[in-house]
Amino acid sequence: MSAISASPADSGEVLAAGRVSLDKVRALQHTLYRTAKADPGRRFHALWDKVLRRDVLWRGWVAVRANNGAPGVDRATLDQIEHEYGIDRLVDELSSELREGSYRPLPARRVFIPKPGSAQLRPLSIPAVRDRIVQAALKIVLEPIYEADFAPCSFGFCPKRGQHDALQVLVDESFRGRRWVVETDVADCFSAIGHDRLMAAVQERVCDQPVLKLLRAMLRAGVMESGVVRHPDTGTAQGGVISPLMCNVYLHRLDRVWDTRADGVLVRFADDLLVLCKSRQQAEPSLSGCGETLGLP
């Protein structure tokens, strides 16, 4: 189904096949979302066959390609895979490796980029393209399940929600008299989340053992910096496709215990938090206990 090798006469069939695959993947996501929404206590156990589906992996490739990005430790670029190795070939190999249990993610390549508004550098972990595709496929399957649970106060990395939606809440609550604002963030959130605590949060909704095993392998793949591979027991690599979803899954623990009447209105954009309060007396203690709730240092 590769558009690279298609002749002009074949291009219409290729595009039609791509739309059919995309429609099937969307239908899968809608089904998972509706099922999760209808039964908040359900734990999903039949997801593995969906992760290794060829159309899901292909959709993962589309998402990875659209996001561009640098190569990982194997130095394989998106252009090389697309024009030399072959997308069909890679997708088939990944599907087979996942099915046979032989898939192993590579360590992510660690680089440092400037932190906006600061002289500090932010660590960024770049997985190999093949690993980004698998992460994207896993996200396609898992995201609808957790999105069905996420609280209205969460705006970061959520489909069809973004900065403007969060800003509208600030405007609305200001008109309602909440003029005291507490601004904070979860320090080093992506690197501080404990793997065990994160997996416990994931397992509140998912009990499919192969899926959980794959996710653990991704978390434990480690990072390579200056030729040395490290395997930290905390963190979900900032730069990984699955990491924003995992961050939201973990921080959802805070969202669901937040008491708006006592603590003010919470607006969370990933690891950045605002609390809108009606008085200074409410604002000062509003974030006390957050670290204990999340189990972060």
Side-chain angles (χ1 to χ4, degrees), residues 132-148:
R132 299 208 293 269
I133 294 172
V134 175
Q135 287 191 29
L138 184 59
K139 181 184 176 185
I140 285 169
V141 174
L142 293 183
E143 188 171 58
I145 296 171
Y146 294 105
E147 281 295 330

Side-chain angles (χ1 to χ4, degrees), residues 48-66:
W48 182 240
D49 62 317
K50 299 168 181 59
V51 175
L52 52 80
R53 267 174 41 174
R54 194 181 188 282
D55 58 344
V56 171
L57 287 164
W58 180 272
R59 185 65 186 87
W61 156 257
V62 171
V64 169
R65 188 66 181 96

Side-chain angles (χ1 to χ4, degrees), residues 10 13 37 42-43 66 69 81 86 94 113 127 132 155 172-173 176 187 220 257 265 274 277 293 295:
D10 297 329
E13 295 180 6
K37 199 72 174 175
R42 175 168 179 164
R43 298 178 71 214
I81 290 173
L94 290 173
I113 60 174
R132 299 208 293 269
F155 293 92
D172 293 343
E173 294 302 329
R176 294 187 180 108
R220 295 172 179 170
V257 302
V265 173
L274 290 177
C277 304
T293 300

Side-chain angles (χ1 to χ4, degrees), residues 171-245:
V171 173
D172 293 343
E173 294 302 329
S174 175
F175 277 113
R176 294 187 180 108
R178 291 187 169 91
R179 308 290 176 82
W180 288 86
V181 180
V182 178
E183 180 181 4
T184 188
D185 62 7
V186 181
D188 298 322
C189 179
F190 282 89
S191 60
I193 296 173
H195 291 170
D196 290 342
R197 287 180 177 268
L198 175 57
M199 291 304 301
V202 169
Q203 289 176 78
E204 290 182 10
R205 272 301 212 171
V206 173
C207 59
D208 188 308
Q209 290 305 312
V211 168
L212 297 174
K213 181 180 179 181
L214 174 62
L215 184 54
R216 286 192 189 95
M218 290 176 176
L219 293 173
R220 295 172 179 170
V223 294
M224 178 179 286
E225 183 180 340
S226 301
V228 178
V229 177
R230 297 188 298 105
H231 297 277
D233 56 5
T234 63
T236 174
Q238 189 166 4
V241 177
I242 198 73
S243 295
L245 175 61

Side-chain angles (χ1 to χ4, degrees), residues 6-14:
S7 66
D10 297 329
S11 60
E13 295 180 6
V14 169

